[in-house]
Amino acid sequence: MNIIPMFLKELEQEAQTTRKMLEIVPTDKFKWQPHPKSMTIEDLTVHIVDLPNWLALAVYTDGLNFATEPYNPPTAENTQGLLDLLEQSVAKGKEALQHISEEELLKPWTLSNGDVILQNYNKAEVIRVAFCQLVHHRAQLGVYLRLLNIPIPGSYGPSADELSGEYQREAASIEL
């Protein structure tokens, strides 16, 4: 069984769902957070759009050491900026997946912070973790938007807002 075509399909499906969620993020709420320990919407959405880049990180490197390679997230000024960053990240992830072999997916990959090993994976596992993180944080964004009383789209089926018709009415009135 070839896993790379499945990864490419999953990336496109998750990107499509992520686009729908990001399209409704109001720029004027970028600094909002539901709790002082929570990320702001801006930080959360920037993390979401950056996650497909982890596919390229898995493909082109043997690991990440936070002590020598600190995380510098991209920035977005508005909702359209988030969507643009997502497209760049997805394109980079697709390109990386098209340049790796099935055998290379089994090579080791290490996440560390200095001498402390945080995780030992193979490259395929890093890709799976990136997809899981994308889904997890997108769901977190859905909760944020729900708390702001913003109707949300469905992810793997219709949302309650779509079933009631509220999402379509709200989506039609959103300006980027």
Side-chain angles (χ1 to χ4, degrees), residues 145-169:
L145 296 173
R146 179 69 76 210
L147 290 170
L148 290 169
N149 204 30
I150 297 171
I152 59 172
S155 293
Y156 303 106
S159 70
D161 298 316
E162 287 176 322
L163 291 174
S164 71
E166 187 175 354
Y167 174 73
Q168 287 82 6
R169 288 189 299 274

Side-chain angles (χ1 to χ4, degrees), residues 88-149:
Q88 293 166 17
S89 182
V90 168
K92 189 174 176 182
K94 281 182 186 177
E95 189 263 335
L97 287 173
Q98 293 166 344
H99 286 91
I100 192 168
S101 68
E102 298 284 327
E103 296 79 29
E104 289 174 298
L105 286 173
L106 299 177
K107 289 184 178 179
W109 194 94
T110 303
L111 182 65
S112 61
N113 189 10
D115 293 333
V116 177
I117 303 298
L118 302 172
Q119 288 289 339
N120 281 311
Y121 296 114
N122 64 40
K123 292 175 181 255
E125 290 169 326
V126 175
I127 292 167
R128 287 294 322 131
V129 167
F131 285 136
C132 291
Q133 286 290 299
L134 178 63
V135 172
H136 162 75
H137 288 298
R138 190 179 63 223
Q140 186 179 5
L141 176 61
V143 172
Y144 280 33
L145 296 173
R146 179 69 76 210
L147 290 170
L148 290 169
N149 204 30

Side-chain angles (χ1 to χ4, degrees), residues 19-91:
R19 281 182 204 102
K20 290 191 307 183
M21 190 70 78
L22 292 173
E23 287 171 349
I24 61 170
V25 173
T27 301
D28 68 341
K29 299 293 185 195
F30 268 28
K31 300 301 180 195
W32 185 85
Q33 62 193 109
H35 186 276
K37 292 182 181 178
S38 300
M39 287 188 272
T40 65
I41 285 182
E42 179 180 21
D43 290 341
L44 178 59
T45 55
V46 164
H47 183 55
I48 290 167
V49 301
D50 192 42
L51 283 165
N53 283 319
W54 278 70
L55 281 61
L57 187 67
V59 168
Y60 298 127
T61 71
D62 294 325
L64 174 63
N65 186 334
F66 288 122
T68 58
E69 303 164 73
Y71 179 61
N72 295 309
T75 59
E77 300 293 320
N78 54 39
T79 304
Q80 186 58 54
L82 290 171
L83 292 165
D84 293 344
L85 287 172
L86 177 68
E87 295 311 316
Q88 293 166 17
S89 182
V90 168

Side-chain angles (χ1 to χ4, degrees), residues 9-22:
K9 181 179 178 181
E10 186 174 4
L11 177 58
E12 186 49 48
Q13 290 171 333
E14 295 304 334
Q16 183 177 1
T17 303
T18 302
R19 281 182 204 102
K20 290 191 307 183
M21 190 70 78
L22 292 173

